[in-house]
Amino acid sequence: GIGKLHNLRVFYACCRYREITGCVAPCNRVVGDLIATHELDERARKIISIELGHSRIQIVSSYIGRKVRRSGSSE
């Protein structure tokens, strides 16, 4: 069903995020996990967006989670 396809896309996106950034996707992050730099996070989101056939990063954000702000950062 559609739900299963969505779950596979989420799994793929989270795995690719980790491959590209070396960090866990924001939706799976726990306290103490490394956080990707803003630049690396943006790059990963763009790559994953293209790979999944989307034209907007916002769609990928629904799969991997919102951007994480670093402490002391003004992102």
Side-chain angles (χ1 to χ4, degrees), residues 17 21-24 26 29 33-42 66-75:
Y17 186 89
T21 66
C23 300
V24 176
R29 189 175 160 269
D33 282 345
L34 293 175
I35 300 172
T37 64
H38 175 75
E39 295 80 14
L40 194 53
D41 179 83
E42 281 289 315
R66 295 182 346 181
K67 296 178 183 181
V68 177
R69 294 180 183 213
R70 296 172 154 267
S71 297
S73 174
S74 60
E75 285 182 46

Side-chain angles (χ1 to χ4, degrees), residues 11 17 19 22-23 26 29 46-48 55-56 61 64:
F11 180 76
Y17 186 89
E19 288 175 359
C23 300
R29 189 175 160 269
K46 286 178 185 175
I47 291 169
I48 296 166
S55 59
R56 297 180 306 155
S61 293
I64 63 174

Side-chain angles (χ1 to χ4, degrees), residues 9 12-13 16 20 42-61 63-64:
R9 293 173 73 80
Y12 174 83
R16 283 295 287 147
I20 296 166
E42 281 289 315
R43 180 174 178 260
R45 289 171 190 272
K46 286 178 185 175
I47 291 169
I48 296 166
S49 178
I50 291 166
E51 291 175 351
L52 291 177
H54 296 298
S55 59
R56 297 180 306 155
I57 292 176
Q58 294 86 346
I59 304 296
V60 171
S61 293
Y63 296 151
I64 63 174

